[in-house]
């Protein structure tokens, strides 16, 4: 069953043009924009335009066209940032937080593309 989507979340407002964003790439089904509080020299968020709460929701419910568009948008942004390893770039990290344990802040699917410095451990050691 699809999750309940809150249309008042901040990324839904960005998609409706109600609050501004610094767009990196817009495609038919996806939008990429700079994170408002970057945690690395490159910190871009990629979101689908459809109402999906988090990654599993999108992966199970989205159309093939949306999934292909979103996946290609992530690749295109990596190319635009020049961070592709093996092609002159120094690499990047993709993160998609989901739910309470994932510490997801905004309940609209997004992947973080982080790059431009060595990013340290994937996860902090458990407290
Ligand atoms: P999450 O914790 O949900 O994975 O990440 C949410 C991200 O959205 C955070 O990195 C935060 O800085 C970013 N963010 C929150 N509000 C805004 C906003 O209004 N504009 C932009 N561009 N990013 C935002």
């Amino acid at each position: 069953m699809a999750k309940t989507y809150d249309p008042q979340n901040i990324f839904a407002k960005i998609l409706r043009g109600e609050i501004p964003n610094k767009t990196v790439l817009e495609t038919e089904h996806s939008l990429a924009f700079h994170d408002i509080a970057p945690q690395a020299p490159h910190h871009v968020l990629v979101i689908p335009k459809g109402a999906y709460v988090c990654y599993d929701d999108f992966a199970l419910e989205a159309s093939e066209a949306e999934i292909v568009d979103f996946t290609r948008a992530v690749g295109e942004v990596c190319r635009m940032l020049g961070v592709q390893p093996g092609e002159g770039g120094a690499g990047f990290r993709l993160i998609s937080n989901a739910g309470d344990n994932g510490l997801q802040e905004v309940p609209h699917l997004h992947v973080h593309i982080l790059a431009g410095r060595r990013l340290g451990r994937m996860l902090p050691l458990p407290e």
Side-chain angles (χ1 to χ4, degrees):
M1 196 179 76
K3 300 183 201 305
T4 303
Y5 178 82
D6 172 12
Q8 295 310 317
N9 78 75
I10 199 93
F11 293 168
K13 291 180 180 178
I14 285 176
L15 285 167
R16 290 195 296 267
E18 293 169 10
I19 61 171
N21 75 92
K22 291 186 179 169
T23 298
V24 174
L25 176 71
E26 182 166 10
T27 65
E28 182 179 0
H29 295 295
S30 308
L31 181 69
F33 53 91
H34 292 285
D35 196 290
I36 202 167
Q39 296 184 40
H42 297 300
H43 189 168
V44 175
L45 302 171
V46 187
I47 68 174
K49 292 181 177 176
Y52 301 101
V53 175
C54 57
Y55 202 94
D56 59 286
D57 188 25
F58 181 72
L60 293 171
E61 304 292 340
S63 68
E64 291 188 10
E66 290 174 299
I67 291 170
V68 169
D69 182 292
F70 181 76
T71 305
R72 293 263 194 248
V74 171
E76 185 60 34
V77 170
C78 291
R79 180 186 282 163
M80 291 168 74
L81 297 175
V83 299
Q84 296 159 283
E87 298 183 39
F92 58 90
R93 182 172 292 160
L94 284 187
I95 297 175
S96 190
N97 297 317
D100 290 342
N101 277 1
L103 298 185
Q104 181 179 9
E105 184 187 315
V106 180
H108 180 111
L109 168 63
H110 49 284
V111 295
H112 300 253
I113 302 175
L114 295 151
R117 66 168 172 82
R118 285 186 68 80
L119 294 163
R121 292 179 65 90
M122 186 170 71
L123 292 172
L125 295 169
E127 292 167 9

